[in-house]
Amino acid sequence: VYRTSGIDQKLAGRPVMADGASRGNPDVIIPYRKPTDGSELPDWKKNLNKHHRTVRAQVEHALARMKTFKILRDYRRAASTLTDTASGIAHLHNIILLG
């Protein structure tokens, strides 16, 4: 879906974080998994996983707040225009936070 949606082209050159379900996609940053031998992850990998979870949680919360905007919740336009609409809503959201 990442590639077929065209989002990979929109985000070209930018770091993209994803959950562990995106294994096998070299274009995204996913958390480290436990080794198959059952051993524990080293502390540095655990710390990176913790940071990864923190950043993803902040993004998920921001997306949830954006969905409260009626224009995005009731979006019925062409999917190709969603990026511009979401960008505009993000800007409005930031203005509200600063206001």
Side-chain angles (χ1 to χ4, degrees):
V1 172
Y2 178 75
R3 290 185 191 101
T4 58
S5 68
I7 196 73
D8 62 331
Q9 295 167 355
K10 296 250 185 214
L11 299 175
R14 295 184 179 115
V16 177
M17 296 178 84
D19 60 12
S22 298
R23 284 179 56 193
N25 184 351
D27 299 332
V28 297
I29 302 166
I30 61 171
Y32 289 100
R33 297 177 61 89
K34 283 190 176 182
T36 55
D37 65 5
S39 62
E40 290 292 318
L41 285 174
D43 286 341
W44 68 272
K45 285 186 179 181
K46 287 181 182 178
N47 289 336
L48 285 175
N49 281 354
K50 181 179 177 183
H51 182 69
H52 189 273
R53 283 191 308 271
T54 302
V55 170
R56 285 201 66 239
Q58 291 171 345
V59 171
E60 294 292 337
H61 288 143
L63 291 173
R65 283 191 302 269
M66 284 176 57
K67 289 178 183 178
T68 65
F69 283 88
K70 185 170 175 40
I71 191 170
L72 186 58
R73 191 176 59 241
D74 297 336
Y75 196 77
R76 299 290 185 264
R77 298 181 61 198
S80 61
T81 64
L82 181 59
T83 305
D84 295 329
T85 303
S87 178
I89 292 169
H91 283 79
L92 290 172
H93 182 280
N94 289 339
I95 290 169
I96 289 170
L97 290 178
L98 295 174

